[in-house]
Amino acid sequence: MTEVFFGLVASWGLIVIALSAYFSCLAVPVPTSAVMLAGGAFAAAGDLVLWQVCTVAYLSALAGDQTGFQLGRWGGKWLSTRVAAMPKRAALYAKAQGAISRWGGAAVFFSTWAVAPLGPWVNFAAGAAGYDVWRFTLLDALGEAIWVSIYIALGYSFASNLEALASLVSNWGGLISAIVVAAAAAAALVRLGKKRGGRSA
């Protein structure tokens, strides 16, 4: 599938980058990281303009996140009912709801780049939970800037090894997500230990 999307970027350029960035933020299974890498690689080759690739990817990702947030705000109950019949998606949505409940803004920020597979569900959960729209927008904008910059810069810098890089980044993304989740769990345990220590004192 990755090679197919490389071909689509070669043929349609910014349109594919925009659609990929937008719909991936709505939980549509699109290999957006590979598309971002391809955008950077084609910019390095002179087939695309770097600032246009960055701008289109960034604005499309923000638009997708805002759409997900508003869908959660307007149809949170409907969404919960809808995903209940899909165990994998229901599990992701439950994790996102728990992340918003526990971590709030940190969950919004890190889900855009460090734990990207959870990102669309955090958007839905934040909207359904009534999270402040301006705070969501600010943290989302900061996180997406990191995400877009990292992937396009990697594609631009390592254009000659694009397929190997896409495979490496896919594995690396899973590793980063695992590290972030482990760190969050450790922080929760430390906080719990402090609360118990304070009570016993």
Side-chain angles (χ1 to χ4, degrees):
M1 177 176 281
T2 298
E3 293 180 0
V4 171
F5 275 87
F6 286 165
L8 289 173
V9 175
S11 300
W12 298 95
L14 297 177
I15 295 174
V16 173
I17 292 171
L19 292 174
S20 173
Y22 179 80
F23 284 107
S24 69
C25 295
L26 295 172
V28 176
V30 180
T32 310
S33 60
V35 171
M36 297 297 107
L37 292 173
F42 284 116
D47 297 316
L48 295 173
V49 180
L50 183 60
W51 73 264
Q52 293 178 351
V53 172
C54 293
T55 301
V56 166
Y58 183 61
L59 294 180
S60 298
L62 291 182
D65 288 336
Q66 286 291 335
T67 301
F69 180 82
Q70 294 300 332
L71 286 173
R73 173 164 286 189
W74 297 332
K77 292 182 179 179
W78 174 85
L79 183 62
S80 296
T81 303
R82 179 83 173 177
V83 300
M86 298 175 280
K88 290 184 178 180
R89 294 197 165 204
L92 287 170
Y93 190 41
K95 287 181 180 179
Q97 289 174 311
I100 287 293
S101 177
R102 291 180 185 177
W103 307 107
V108 174
F109 176 71
F110 285 107
S111 69
T112 58
W113 62 279
V115 198
L118 200 61
W121 302 102
V122 168
N123 297 337
F124 297 142
Y131 194 76
D132 181 73
V133 63
W134 295 113
R135 184 170 174 78
F136 174 86
T137 299
L138 174 61
L139 294 169
D140 178 61
L142 293 173
E144 290 294 5
I146 294 173
W147 180 70
V148 169
S149 298
I150 287 175
Y151 283 98
I152 292 179
L154 283 172
Y156 190 89
S157 301
F158 300 97
S160 60
N161 297 304
L162 189 57
E163 290 186 16
L165 179 62
S167 178
L168 177 64
V169 165
S170 176
N171 295 329
W172 171 74
L175 176 62
I176 293 298
S177 297
I179 291 173
V180 171
V181 171
L189 289 173
V190 170
R191 183 178 299 180
L192 180 61
K194 286 182 179 180
K195 286 183 178 180
R196 289 182 175 177
R199 288 175 184 173
S200 61

